[in-house]
Amino acid sequence: MPKLQGFEFWSCTLGGARHVVAPMVDQSELAWRLLSRRHGAQLCYTPMLHAQVFVRDANYRKENLYCEVCPEDRPLIVQFCANDPEVFVQAALLAQDHCDAIDLNLGCPQMIAKRGHYGAFLQEEWDLLQRMIVLAHERLSVPVTCKIRVFPEIDKTVRYAQMLERAGCQLLAVHGRTKEQKGPLPGPASWEHIRAVRKAVNIPVFANGNIQCLRDVEQCIQATGVQGVMSAEGNLHNPALFEGRSPAVWELAEEYLEIVRQHPCPLSYVRAHLFKLWHHPLQVHQHLREELAKVKSLEGVSAVSRELKLRCQAGVGTAGCHACAGREALSVTRGLVLCRRTCPGRWRERSPWEACLSFTGSASPTSAQAKYAKCDQCGNPKGNRCVFNLCRGCCKKRAFRETADCPGHGLLFKTKLEKSLAWQRDQSRLQEPQQPGLGDLGPGGPGSFSEVTGSALT
């Protein structure tokens, strides 16, 4: 049977998938993929696998792919990082019988990718990438796809995408950020770049970046014309994102842990997922955060999760009321308490989040108490120094939407954008032809390079 290509591959093999879980190192393992599929994901990628290690280490293959295959986990794309055409193809040949396509990672911007010379740090080596894609396209029985990041220039990004398409790439996942946009200052992803790529190529395109809820998915598809939308960070905080729901966090945690019992994975993966799922309650119950970080078994992790569920559902009414230090406090949702008997006025007038006590397990009304105010948009505790009076999740959405900063939550969308624009202006000045008659261009002299460009080189 001939290998399907382009839109035929997307519509038939991938079932016209629109809701996609991104490849995430140590985070898109089988258990998480199955959880995401139960809640609306139509296509998943494996975590990034190292092609050279995959070729030489049978245990690595077994742990990361062969033992993780199950009928429910399809369609599936296996992603590799590589910088050698032969090694990439050898790894892909070993994996192709267990998936529906092989993806070349050209988007990882992390320092480990720079040291290993792969991911986004190959995006200037077009001859090498062309050879890798051509060879894989010729020798594999499944299609080859690519996940890329954009260049600052839209036209260069378009030419880059067209080069990969000519080489044999059958689907492009485009992360709308440059390789410099990473870490705590990522800045907004450029849907304009993604839209330009989509118009310029004749293969399916997935968009990645700025996806926090189902409405973002719909807006992205409408704005860019892509075939599907890929989520990473949004999916980690809410694996039901593609359903348009935000279930109680303990429901998702319990369901995930049950899947892990059936399909075991390293405890570090499980712990990392629970830190994301329980993000807001763990800000309140700091001692349970420390406990979750220390436990050494799946049962220990499950016990912490059950305790968090109890605190969030009802709490325990042995702690004193924050409003009046009364002993008969009424337990309320998420483990925070306010006294109905001695503080009826405050009970009626204010949300429990606005005058509440994080349960400490002590019967003493003089126990250490902490005040948590409610987010203006949801029931989570807001950041004490948030400029919008929101929790981190709501703050991130608003700060991105308005291209604003919130130092209290470490969100610097405006600052990053300004730095990016300043960098682009500097690059433009550097590329401008020198004007005749500028005199001596020696360091610091009249008409020197720093004087002409208006910038200091460092």
Side-chain angles (χ1 to χ4, degrees):
M1 179 178 176
K3 180 167 60 176
L4 298 182
Q5 301 183 24
F7 282 95
E8 192 177 10
F9 158 65
W10 171 70
S11 61
C12 297
T13 305
L14 302 185
R18 295 168 70 86
H19 300 161
V20 185
V21 174
M24 297 175 282
V25 178
D26 297 344
Q27 294 283 267
S28 54
E29 83 287 355
L30 175 60
W32 190 259
R33 297 197 301 265
L34 292 177
L35 176 68
S36 299
R37 290 180 191 275
R38 290 183 184 182
H39 293 284
Q42 299 164 331
L43 169 67
C44 294
Y45 285 63
T46 66
M48 182 190 73
L49 304 178
H50 198 292
Q52 192 170 44
V53 180
F54 195 85
V55 169
R56 71 168 185 250
D57 191 334
N59 286 332
Y60 184 80
R61 295 196 293 272
K62 182 178 178 181
E63 292 170 2
N64 289 281
L65 185 61
Y66 294 174
C67 286
E68 288 212 338
V69 174
C70 70
E72 299 86 2
D73 190 32
R74 302 294 283 270
L76 177 69
I77 296 180
V78 173
Q79 186 186 73
F80 287 108
C81 65
N83 55 22
D84 181 280
E86 281 295 337
V87 172
F88 174 53
V89 171
Q90 288 176 32
L93 288 170
L94 291 169
Q96 66 179 358
D97 292 338
H98 304 276
C99 63
D100 299 287
I102 298 294
D103 187 77
L104 178 61
N105 183 327
L106 300 177
C108 182
Q110 304 305 324
M111 185 55 64
I112 189 173
K114 184 175 183 179
R115 290 196 297 266
H117 192 53
Y118 58 79
F121 296 93
L122 294 178
Q123 66 179 175
E124 296 287 356
E125 301 187 33
W126 292 17
D127 289 341
L128 171 62
L129 296 181
Q130 209 163 13
R131 285 187 282 118
M132 293 176 74
I133 301 300
V134 166
L135 189 62
H137 179 56
E138 291 175 350
R139 295 179 57 184
L140 297 182
S141 62
V142 297
V144 59
T145 68
C146 297
K147 185 172 186 295
I148 66 173
R149 284 194 169 226
V150 300
F151 291 92
E153 307 87 1
I154 291 180
D155 62 334
K156 186 173 182 179
T157 303
V158 166
R159 288 187 281 110
Y160 181 47
Q162 290 173 328
M163 178 273 293
L164 294 173
E165 179 188 10
R166 288 193 300 271
C169 176
Q170 301 304 315
L171 183 149
L172 273 174
V174 184
H175 189 154
R177 295 184 175 95
T178 66
K179 72 176 185 294
E180 289 77 25
Q181 290 179 280
K182 60 182 179 180
L185 297 173
S190 171
W191 287 356
E192 185 180 359
H193 281 70
I194 299 173
R195 180 172 60 250
V197 169
R198 173 65 203 95
K199 289 181 178 179
V201 299
N202 296 309
I203 55 177
V205 174
F206 291 157
N208 185 206
N210 304 350
I211 305 301
Q212 297 294 326
C213 61
L214 186 59
R215 185 175 62 180
D216 294 339
V217 173
E218 296 162 351
Q219 289 178 345
C220 181
I221 292 175
Q222 185 176 8
T224 62
V226 293
Q227 280 61 53
V229 170
M230 176 182 284
S231 175
E233 194 70 17
N235 166 263
L236 290 177
H237 283 282
N238 178 18
L241 178 154
F242 291 126
E243 285 185 321
R245 298 192 309 122
S246 294
V249 63
W250 55 83
E251 293 180 16
L252 295 170
E254 288 176 343
E255 188 175 1
Y256 172 65
L257 290 171
E258 185 58 38
I259 297 174
V260 170
R261 293 184 184 95
Q262 300 171 30
H263 303 280
C265 63
L267 192 65
S268 60
Y269 297 10
V270 180
R271 186 184 288 112
H273 281 304
L274 290 189
F275 274 126
K276 292 283 189 181
L277 288 175
W278 286 110
H279 176 77
H280 293 298
L282 286 173
Q283 289 182 322
V284 176
H285 304 290
Q286 291 285 340
H287 63 294
L288 289 178
R289 180 182 183 85
E290 296 170 6
E291 190 66 26
L292 180 59
K294 292 188 296 186
V295 291
K296 303 296 184 182
S297 68
L298 183 60
E299 283 311 309
V301 169
S302 299
V304 175
S305 187
R306 285 194 297 271
E307 184 67 17
L308 280 164
K309 176 184 176 180
L310 291 174
R311 302 292 174 88
C312 288
Q313 281 185 317
V316 182
T318 56
C321 169
H322 178 72
C324 67
R327 293 293 296 275
E328 289 192 27
L330 180 69
S331 299
V332 295
T333 57
R334 299 182 183 269
L336 301 174
V337 295
L338 189 66
C339 176
R340 187 194 296 272
R341 183 177 66 84
T342 58
C343 301
R346 295 194 70 174
W347 181 270
R348 288 193 300 268
E349 295 169 4
R350 308 184 69 181
S351 161
W353 282 107
E354 295 181 71
C356 56
L357 167 67
S358 172
F359 172 69
T360 62
S362 169
S364 169
T366 60
S367 301
Q369 298 178 352
K371 198 172 187 177
Y372 297 94
K374 174 187 170 186
C375 168
D376 287 353
Q377 293 185 8
C378 70
N380 290 313
K382 74 174 183 181
N384 291 334
R385 292 174 291 178
C386 177
V387 297
F388 300 118
N389 292 317
L390 302 173
C391 67
R392 193 179 195 283
C394 295
C395 175
K396 186 175 182 180
K397 293 176 185 177
R398 179 167 175 180
F400 164 72
R401 188 169 61 248
E402 300 180 6
T403 316
D405 289 350
C406 177
H409 277 125
L411 301 172
L412 302 174
F413 291 107
K414 180 181 177 182
T415 299
K416 186 63 177 180
L417 178 61
E418 290 173 348
K419 288 183 177 180
S420 176
L421 294 174
W423 180 81
Q424 292 178 30
R425 287 194 297 269
D426 289 344
Q427 292 300 307
S428 299
R429 293 193 189 101
L430 290 172
Q431 294 172 7
E432 288 178 0
Q434 296 179 1
Q435 300 297 323
L438 290 176
D440 182 14
L441 293 182
S448 67
F449 185 82
S450 60
E451 182 177 329
V452 171
T453 63
S455 62
L457 298 181
T458 57

